[in-house]
């Protein structure tokens, strides 16, 4: 049984995958959309980027945001580790 999804919904799903780096599995679990549909929408968007400068710019922005989010993850992990280490050593001093 096929469902009709709005263009806005499809773009939201593509953005979750392309910009936020969400997996097909996590999106499927949250929104109930098949992996095949997500894959097809992402493919369609990438193909659209080849012909539409506006879509290409949007896609490039999504990729840049994802890259920056991934780069930020490492310092966040380091800060969390250092906070835990500081708390551990603070207990040792007392």
């Amino acid at each position: 049984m096929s469902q009709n999804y709005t263009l806005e919904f499809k773009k939201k799903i593509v953005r979750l995958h392309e910009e936020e780096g969400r997996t097909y599995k996590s999106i499927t679990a949250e929104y109930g959309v098949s992996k095949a549909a997500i894959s097809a929408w992402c493919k369609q968007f990438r193909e659209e980027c080849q012909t539409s400068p506006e879509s290409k710019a949007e896609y490039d922005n999504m990729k840049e945001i994802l890259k920056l989010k991934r780069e930020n993850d490492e310092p966040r992990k380091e800060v969390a580790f250092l906070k835990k280490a500081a708390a551990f050593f603070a207990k040792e001093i007392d």
Side-chain angles (χ1 to χ4, degrees):
M1 186 166 144
S2 72
Q3 280 188 302
N4 291 327
Y5 295 101
T6 65
L7 183 59
E8 292 80 22
F9 180 78
K10 291 177 182 180
K11 282 187 176 185
K12 177 181 179 177
I13 297 299
V14 170
R15 187 172 298 280
L16 288 172
H17 178 67
E18 296 291 340
E19 185 177 299
E20 295 185 16
R22 299 265 309 267
T23 63
Y24 291 167
K25 186 176 182 177
S26 72
I27 296 170
T28 297
E30 186 173 342
Y31 292 95
V33 179
S34 72
K35 290 179 186 179
I38 298 168
S39 177
W41 297 340
C42 290
K43 180 182 177 192
Q44 180 183 12
F45 182 70
R46 284 190 294 274
E47 288 171 356
E48 186 179 307
C49 291
Q50 303 301 315
T51 58
S52 168
E54 184 179 291
S55 294
K56 172 80 170 118
E58 186 178 352
Y59 181 73
D60 290 343
N61 286 338
M62 280 192 259
K63 286 297 186 184
E64 182 66 19
I65 289 170
L66 179 59
K67 178 184 165 224
L68 294 172
K69 283 181 179 182
R70 287 182 177 157
E71 286 176 3
N72 276 340
D73 281 347
E74 192 62 33
R76 284 188 187 134
K77 290 176 185 177
E78 290 173 5
V79 167
F81 173 78
L82 291 172
K83 283 181 181 180
K84 289 177 184 178
F88 173 78
F89 287 115
K91 287 180 185 177
E92 291 291 316
I93 293 173
D94 289 338

